Amino acid sequence: MFKAIKETVTDVRQLVRSYQGLTTNVKQLQDSLPAVNKFQAEVQKDIAKWQFKDQPRLDKIREITERLSKEGKE
């Protein structure tokens, strides 16, 4: 019976340590969230800029390939 109590105490201590580790990790994640959101916004901004700059070129390439495809079928 003493052994069972000792194992239960050990298990509870392990659970407490795990909970403390989890709490620390959750706090670190929450603290890093603003930086992640900022990075995501910057990436989205860069993607939008790239698409804006390159869309006319992509449209022209698509137009040329369609024209060549039509000429090849004739």
Side-chain angles (χ1 to χ4, degrees), residues 5-46:
I5 293 172
K6 190 175 179 181
E7 288 175 357
T8 302
V9 169
T10 301
D11 291 343
V12 169
R13 286 182 180 158
Q14 177 69 28
L15 182 61
V16 169
R17 282 192 298 273
S18 296
Y19 174 75
Q20 289 170 339
L22 179 63
T23 302
T24 300
N25 290 338
V26 167
K27 183 174 179 348
Q28 289 174 345
L29 284 171
Q30 288 173 335
D31 290 346
S32 66
L33 191 58
V36 170
N37 288 337
K38 181 181 177 189
F39 177 76
Q40 180 185 14
E42 290 171 2
V43 168
Q44 291 297 330
K45 183 179 171 184
D46 288 344

Side-chain angles (χ1 to χ4, degrees), residues 40-74:
Q40 180 185 14
E42 290 171 2
V43 168
Q44 291 297 330
K45 183 179 171 184
D46 288 344
I47 289 171
K49 187 180 358 175
W50 175 81
Q51 287 177 336
F52 177 78
K53 286 177 69 176
D54 289 342
Q55 191 60 46
R57 293 180 190 136
L58 294 172
D59 291 342
K60 188 67 174 176
I61 291 169
R62 188 176 305 113
E63 182 182 314
I64 291 169
T65 54
E66 287 174 2
R67 194 176 317 147
L68 290 173
S69 176
K70 286 179 185 177
E71 289 177 7
K73 291 179 181 178
E74 293 176 356

